[in-house]
Each structure stands twice: as structure tokens, then as C-alpha cells.
Amino acid sequence: MAKTVADFLAETLAEAGVKRIWGVTGDSLNGINDSLRRLGRIEWMHVRHEEVAAFAAGAEAAVTGELAVCAGSCGPGNLHLINGLFDCQRSRVPVLAIAAQIPSSEIGLGYFQETHPQELFRECSDFVELISNPAQLPEVLHRALRTAIGKRGVAVLVIPGDVALTAMPERASTHFTAPVLPRTLPVEADLDNLAALLNESIAVTFLCGSGCADAHDEVMGLADVLGAPIVHAMRGKEHIEWDNPFDVGMTGFIGFSSGYHAMLSCDTLLMLGTGFPYRHFYPTQARIAQIDSDPSALGRHAPLDMGLIGDVSATVKALLPRLKKKTDRSFLNAARTHYQQARKELDALAQPSAAGKAIHPQYLTRLLSELAADDAVFTVDVGTPTVWAARYLAMNGKRRLIGSFNHGSMANAMPQAIGAQAAAPGRQVISLSGDGGFTMLMGDFISLTQLGLPVKVIVYNNGSLGFVAMEMKAGGFLGSGTDLKNPNFADMANAMGIKGIRVEQSADLAASLKQAFAHDGPVLVDVVTAKQELVMPPKIQLEQAKGFSLYMLKAIINGRGDEVVELAQTNLLR
């Protein structure tokens, strides 16, 4: 029998090294599913919701550095992929999405489940194309794969179900060679100009992001030459925080005061592989230089005095011989002293609460960091779990930290843990799930048993959309629409055949986490955490201070003074 479009697709993906495809099947995917079954080289990872499929594929790509694939059936099926694909695209991980389409003869006629994926996916991808004729497929598929791999982004193939079942041209080859990404270097003149700028600067601070992956030692060497404190953005934490004698913490809304002041006080800020988006945390008097492999990232959020296109590792190596070592360490020492004090204050908050009191989430996260494996993969939900992860999870060069740090989607942690665990079956994978995020895609909790994935899900159960509630307080609004009436998640897990552990007292927490980590299957640990825990940014705006005062006044006037008392007891009266 002649190969069909579906057969050709499956064989080419296998040749490209694809191990699994995440998705929910449907009639428009029948041809592809059957081809995968007969081929036997790619595993179909059946989840309960396509959004989970896209998040899982993105996490697989993040852990392996290789192409991952997800798929959705026509109409609503592939529409569910979009939010997860936005996250993949903004996180710059290589993902191919297969968007099945209605029968080709019905497109444009208002058919059942009709959408136009070529338009819908355009904003969340670098490549999207419709396959309407089998002769298109070899070249279009190769373009899609090379775009996803080469641009570290999303490519989408739209394939009508009937086209998937049509015969391929006889001579079509399934051979595929993946492109190898180049190392880019700025031109010599730019390197000379940057070196001159840094040599004449007195107080240099670095701001480092995910572009510093594989450049840890080079960045340390550069910081040593320049006597520069290193601030990191959230996506730079796993790459730059560990074994770093120049570390002064994060900046931004969830950062440290030391990170903010190291940037505010410098005369030159050097941005390395970061697209840190919050403009009002940048210094206004300093000169700013930026190195990034993406030209469009240069000057995106702050005006630059100099922008260089290049990989961080290669560029720093080329830059170092041009620099004079600075012997004055006073700026670095002052920044480090500030950081040590800020770190001490944060650590003081990560302590057990008194008997009968809800557990402090800082203490929970500190214990997770202390008890987790040296090469653990952490996935963290958007909101307060990201805050606590930023402040209390220790990186070491082997651990991974994955989240929706650019797209900012809720419900990312457990789906990403699913993808990470499938890609790294021998590693410990821990999901730091908010109760709001976990319940949003809770249906796929059962996928842990269906797919045989021993993910450890830690639920921060504070009965609230905590970060949103804090933002409302900061704006002077009374809390509204943020409370969550949660079940006993541990009982729910046990009823689903997954080990569930509920923790309500700090004294029981360490033993419960050890028990969870020792279990050879999936576990859910339902931790009752303090509801009114505050997350204070390192830069307090006057409007925020006014907002908190206004909130407390409104709460008392409206008979909700108990909230103010609980807020004070949780954050001030420890």
C-alpha cells in the first residue's frame, strides 16, 4: 500500500527524533493516530485536555532541549492548544503543533467545528501552514521542523482529516536532518566599543536572564574582572544563581531589595540574555548595554547606549581579553552586604508557624528545597508559588526550574510536570501548584496514573487566589472574587488511586514531604498555608502604600476588620 500523508508525517517525525506526541484524539486525527500505532516508534501521550498537551510538550522541550510535539483535533480540540502554545512561544522552546482540520471540501462553508487555524495560531507561532495537497507535505513539514528548532519557537501544521488519509507521491523521502544552531558573535568594532564603555565605568551591575544558559562560568569570569554584582531575572535563576560569589538576588515585583538597589546605584547596567519587562525597575541615570542573540530583544524595555547581537557565552569570551581588571571592590562589597541582609530577612520568614496556625508558604518552600533531589525538576504555578520558588528554591546547576514566567498563565505547573517527568523518567519532578492553578486543570491529575508518571504535586492550599488578592489590597480594593472553597485534596487524590497526604501543622511537614518523596508513584501533598501572607516588592510605590492604607480602612468600615487582624498576625506578629 502507498504511504498516506499521515504515514509520511509519522515516519518523518520519528526520523527527526520525536519520542512522543501529546494530545487528545478525535476523528480528524484518526489517520495520524493509526499511523503512529502501526509505526510503533512514537508514543501517543493521551491527556484529558489539549491545553495540558501543549504545556507538557513545552516542558519536554525545555528539559531535553529538543523538538517536542502536541496535537489537537479540528475546531475546539486544537483551539485548546493555544494558551499552552503561547507559553511555549514566549519561553522560546521548540514545539511542533499538529492542528487537525475539518474535511477540506467543507472549509469556508460553516461546517461543524469549523475554524481557521492558520489565522488563529499566527500570533503564537513562528510558522503556520495548511496542507491541502500531499505534494506539499515534505517541504512544508521540513520548513516547520527547521523553523521550530532553528528559532526555538512554535510551528503549526494544519492538516484536514481527509488529506491525512490521501496517498503520498511515491518518491517522497522521510529523511530529515535537524539544523544545528550557530554561535553568533558581535562585530569586532562593537566588542571594542563595549569594552571601552565597561573599562571607564566605576560601578557595573549585571542583569542576567535565560540567555545565560550554558554561560555560567563565562559570566562569573566577567563579573570578577569588573567587580560587578549580578542581579538575575526569574528565568535566569536556574542558570546564574548557583555557585555565584557576585549574586545579589532578583529584582522586579517578586525580587529582593538588594537586587533592585544594585541596579539603581550602578553607573552602567549590562544586560545579558534577558528581556526583563518591568520598565520602572531599570535605573534612570545609568548607561545601559545589552547582549542578546535576538536582535528584536535589544532595547525592548529600556533605552540602550549600546546593543550587541550575539550569544552570551561566545560574546563574553571575546570581550574578556579587551577588559582591564578592576581592583576597587567597594561597589560589589556594598551590594553583597545589602544582599546578605536581605537574604537574612527573607530566611527569617521561612520558619515553622505555631501549633494551630496555618503553615507559612516560605517554610514549605524552604523544606522542599532542602529535601528535594540534587537534580530535581521544579515546575511552579504563576502567582505566589512563583514568588516562594524565586526566594527559597536553591539552584545548583543540575536542578531545573520551569514555569510560565513570560506568558504568566495559571495552571501551568502540573501540566509542565507531566511533560518533564515523561522526558526525564529517572529524575524527581515536583510541581509547586497553587490551589487555583491546580483546580483549573485538575482533570489531568488522573493522567499521572494513566501515563505512569511519579510526579509529586505539592498544593499550596490557602483557599485564595493569593497574588490577585494581594494586588487588590495594594490597589486599595476590598477582596472580591478571590476566595476558593476547596475540598480536602488529599482525600480526593486517594479516591483517584493516587497517594494523598494532608498537612495542617508545621510540625508534620518535614516527615510528610519525606514520605511523599520516598513513594515510588505519584503523590499529592495538600498543605494548608497561611491565607494572608504578603509578598512585598523591593520597590514600594507611593500608590501601593496608599492602596494598603485604603484597603485597611475600607475593610474596617465594611465590618471585615478580622481580615486586617489576620494580615497583621501572619506578617507582623510572628
Side-chain angles (χ1 to χ4, degrees):
M1 293 177 61
K3 287 180 183 177
T4 64
V5 164
D7 294 335
F8 184 91
L9 174 65
E11 291 182 25
T12 304
L13 292 179
E15 287 294 314
V18 172
K19 305 290 193 304
R20 56 192 67 82
I21 297 178
W22 301 88
V24 179
T25 195
D27 61 349
S28 52
L29 283 170
N30 283 346
I32 293 173
N33 279 118
D34 189 60
S35 293
L36 294 172
R37 178 189 61 80
R38 286 184 283 105
L39 182 65
R41 294 171 60 190
I42 297 176
E43 186 176 5
W44 179 261
M45 305 297 284
H46 175 42
V47 294
R48 305 302 175 102
H49 195 293
E50 291 89 353
E51 184 176 350
V52 171
F55 273 122
E60 176 186 340
V63 168
T64 64
E66 298 174 355
L67 179 74
V69 183
C70 60
S73 58
C74 64
N78 61 58
L79 274 175
H80 285 159
L81 294 171
I82 286 182
N83 187 54
L85 290 180
F86 261 102
D87 185 79
C88 295
Q89 179 74 354
R90 300 194 69 187
S91 298
R92 306 313 304 179
V93 290
V95 171
L96 173 70
I98 300 168
Q101 177 61 301
I102 63 171
S104 58
S105 60
E106 303 299 329
I107 294 174
L109 300 176
Y111 192 71
F112 177 64
Q113 294 188 323
E114 180 174 5
T115 61
H116 293 87
Q118 308 95 283
E119 303 303 322
L120 293 170
F121 288 91
R122 197 169 302 283
E123 191 175 350
C124 65
S125 67
D126 288 308
F127 179 93
V128 56
E129 195 56 75
L130 169 70
I131 301 297
S132 56
N133 186 301
Q136 283 178 275
L137 184 60
E139 287 74 22
V140 173
L141 175 56
H142 288 177
R143 280 189 65 204
L145 295 175
R146 291 188 176 113
T147 300
I149 295 167
K151 290 192 173 182
R152 311 294 294 176
V154 173
V156 182
L157 277 184
V158 183
I159 307 178
D162 61 313
V163 173
L165 296 172
T166 57
M168 285 293 295
E170 289 185 9
R171 295 185 180 181
S173 172
T174 59
H175 177 71
F176 175 76
T177 302
V180 178
L181 298 185
R183 290 280 187 177
T184 56
L185 265 178
V187 298
E188 294 289 319
D190 281 352
L191 289 168
D192 290 339
N193 290 336
L194 178 58
L197 172 66
L198 295 173
N199 281 330
E200 70 182 30
S201 300
I202 297 173
V204 180
T205 294
F206 295 174
L207 175 60
C208 297
S210 60
C212 292
D214 302 321
H216 177 275
D217 292 350
E218 290 81 2
V219 173
M220 296 304 114
L222 183 64
D224 183 46
V225 168
L226 295 174
I230 297 177
V231 181
H232 60 265
M234 186 66 203
R235 292 191 65 207
K237 176 181 170 73
E238 64 174 324
H239 305 299
I240 215 73
E241 181 186 54
W242 52 279
D243 195 17
N244 181 352
F246 310 96
D247 180 32
V248 294
M250 280 181 59
T251 189
F253 287 109
I254 62 175
F256 300 8
S257 58
S258 54
Y260 170 69
H261 284 284
M263 285 175 54
L264 183 71
S265 305
C266 70
D267 64 6
T268 299
L269 177 68
L270 179 60
M271 300 171 61
L272 298 171
T274 180
F276 181 72
Y278 303 109
R279 298 182 186 212
H280 50 282
F281 286 92
Y282 283 95
T284 56
Q285 303 300 319
R287 295 173 294 185
I288 301 177
Q290 184 176 2
I291 299 171
D292 206 290
S293 59
D294 178 8
S296 70
L298 298 177
R300 186 182 291 164
H301 302 292
L304 298 182
D305 294 272
M306 196 174 299
L308 279 69
I309 302 169
D311 295 292
V312 171
S313 176
T315 303
V316 170
K317 284 180 182 177
L319 184 64
L320 278 168
R322 295 168 159 86
L323 298 175
K324 301 172 185 175
K325 185 162 185 174
K326 298 184 185 299
T327 56
D328 183 354
R329 285 330 208 218
S330 57
F331 179 66
L332 172 62
N333 292 339
R336 285 284 294 168
T337 300
H338 189 168
Y339 168 68
Q340 288 158 6
Q341 182 59 37
R343 182 73 261 175
K344 182 179 178 182
E345 292 170 0
L346 287 172
D347 290 342
L349 300 175
Q351 302 300 322
S353 51
K357 298 291 186 180
I359 296 166
H360 293 304
Q362 299 97 319
Y363 178 58
L364 166 59
T365 314
R366 193 198 87 195
L367 282 184
L368 285 172
S369 183
E370 292 173 358
L371 298 174
D374 283 346
D375 65 345
V377 180
F378 297 96
T379 63
V380 296
D381 262 336
V382 162
T384 52
T386 293
V387 179
W388 312 134
R391 296 178 179 179
Y392 297 102
L393 288 183
M395 297 291 106
N396 58 11
K398 294 181 287 185
R399 288 177 167 180
R400 295 299 312 275
L401 182 61
I402 299 171
S404 185
F405 301 136
N406 284 353
H407 185 48
S409 172
M410 285 182 65
N412 62 285
M414 185 185 68
Q416 289 174 329
I418 289 172
Q421 188 72 84
R427 294 176 72 172
Q428 184 184 68
V429 178
I430 305 169
S431 171
L432 280 62
S433 297
D435 47 3
F438 175 69
T439 52
M440 186 177 283
L441 286 173
M442 194 164 62
D444 262 286
F445 181 58
I446 196 64
S447 295
L448 298 181
T449 54
Q450 178 155 335
L451 298 174
L453 301 173
V455 172
K456 315 308 179 192
V457 179
I458 314 300
V459 179
Y460 287 64
N461 185 355
N462 64 357
S464 172
L465 299 176
F467 201 85
V468 177
M470 188 205 68
E471 289 175 320
M472 294 178 77
K473 292 180 178 70
F477 298 100
L478 287 174
S480 176
T482 58
D483 287 346
L484 301 172
K485 186 175 181 180
N486 292 327
N488 183 315
F489 291 117
D491 286 349
M492 182 200 75
N494 287 317
M496 298 169 75
I498 297 175
K499 185 176 184 64
I501 304 170
R502 186 171 172 92
V503 188
E504 299 179 353
Q505 301 289 327
S506 291
D508 302 326
L509 185 56
S512 297
L513 292 177
K514 290 177 183 178
Q515 180 187 0
F517 291 163
H519 185 65
D520 63 359
V523 182
L524 182 146
V525 185
D526 180 7
V527 185
V528 179
T529 56
K531 184 175 185 177
Q532 298 286 0
E533 205 77 44
L534 282 178
V535 179
M536 304 305 293
K539 179 184 181 183
I540 305 297
Q541 303 283 351
L542 178 60
E543 292 79 7
Q544 291 172 323
K546 289 179 179 177
F548 267 105
S549 300
L550 186 59
Y551 154 74
M552 288 188 284
L553 179 62
K554 286 181 179 178
I556 293 170
I557 290 173
N558 285 270
R560 292 164 64 175
D562 57 320
E563 282 190 11
V564 177
V565 172
E566 185 182 354
L567 193 70
Q569 289 177 335
T570 302
N571 296 279
L572 301 177
L573 306 177
R574 291 193 178 183

